[in-house]
Amino acid sequence: MTEQDNVRIDKWLWAARFFKTRSLAADAVDRGRVRIGGEPVKPARSVKVDDKIFIDNGSNRWEVVVLGLSDKRGPAPVAQALYRETEESIVRRENDQEARRLFPEPGSTIKGRPTKRDRRAITRAGG
């Protein structure tokens, strides 16, 4: 965990293991899926300790408080030491996960373009 003054948000998100690549992190920031203090930011925005960041990577949403700065991707335990997830975020993620388990998307099991049989099954399921 390197203490630095200027770490770009896209590098920090990649180092904290929210995204697999830095380009995916930068793309999410460009699309407005990452906000600091409720404001959309650009990929070059610097992160500071105690910043509250909202992150949406498509499948999960987090609200975290920055505890440390790093622009190097390391092992998962080191990455998890860079932030602390808020209590509301933990509860929301668990609720979202439970909802996905209980009410799966009708077409989520189909890979590629649905066949005629798949389409009929989707229509029967109410989708």
Side-chain angles (χ1 to χ4, degrees), residues 65-108:
V65 176
V66 178
L67 299 178
L69 302 176
S70 177
D71 61 354
K72 305 278 188 271
R73 190 171 172 109
V78 173
Q80 290 170 350
L82 296 176
Y83 63 90
R84 175 181 47 80
E85 188 173 6
T86 62
E87 294 298 321
E88 304 88 41
S89 176
I90 293 170
V91 170
R92 189 179 337 113
R93 271 192 322 108
E94 288 173 353
N95 289 342
D96 289 349
Q97 190 174 19
E98 186 69 14
R100 280 194 301 266
R101 188 180 70 77
L102 293 176
F103 306 106
E105 194 67 33
S108 64

